[in-house]
Amino acid sequence: MKVLNSSEIKKVIYAKLEPKEDLYEAIVKLVKDNEVKFGFLIALGTLERLRIGHANPDKTFKEIVIDKPLEISTAFGRIWVDDEPYVHIHI
């Protein structure tokens, strides 16, 4: 295997959502408040409602809303900042 790049982990942030707090908005705020430039995230827990989307092969975007409590057994994603934080999560 060819190593393409390497770096050190400089900071680990542990956080917990408050009841009724939006997951995506909370992550964006956390990124801005802590001046994160790039990162990975792992999450688990429960949500009262979920709004997700996916790109279709024809490049259109499909949004799905599940309006009931859900258990997240695993969510994994990455974060990077261009002008604004971008959060990409797989649940």
Side-chain angles (χ1 to χ4, degrees):
M1 180 179 295
K2 180 180 176 183
V3 175
L4 300 176
N5 198 352
S6 66
S7 66
E8 295 179 8
I9 295 174
K10 296 183 180 179
K11 185 190 286 189
V12 176
I13 300 170
Y14 296 92
K16 180 181 177 185
L17 285 177
E18 296 297 326
K20 308 282 185 193
E21 193 172 17
D22 182 273
L23 176 63
Y24 184 84
E25 291 174 7
I27 293 169
V28 169
K29 183 176 182 337
L30 187 83
V31 166
K32 289 180 176 180
D33 290 351
N34 289 277
E35 299 179 354
V36 173
K37 301 298 180 215
F38 181 82
F40 292 98
L41 68 91
I42 300 169
L44 56 93
T46 59
L47 295 174
E48 293 180 10
R49 178 178 189 268
L50 179 65
R51 183 175 54 93
I52 58 175
H54 65 85
N56 294 314
D58 65 359
K59 308 287 187 208
T60 60
F61 189 78
K62 170 77 173 171
E63 184 176 279
I64 300 165
V65 175
I66 301 171
D67 205 5
K68 62 181 183 178
L70 298 165
E71 179 80 22
I72 299 174
S73 59
T74 304
F76 185 79
R78 62 187 188 274
I79 301 161
W80 66 92
V81 176
D82 205 346
D83 290 328
E84 288 293 316
Y86 182 81
V87 181
H88 185 91
I89 306 170
H90 291 263
I91 294 181

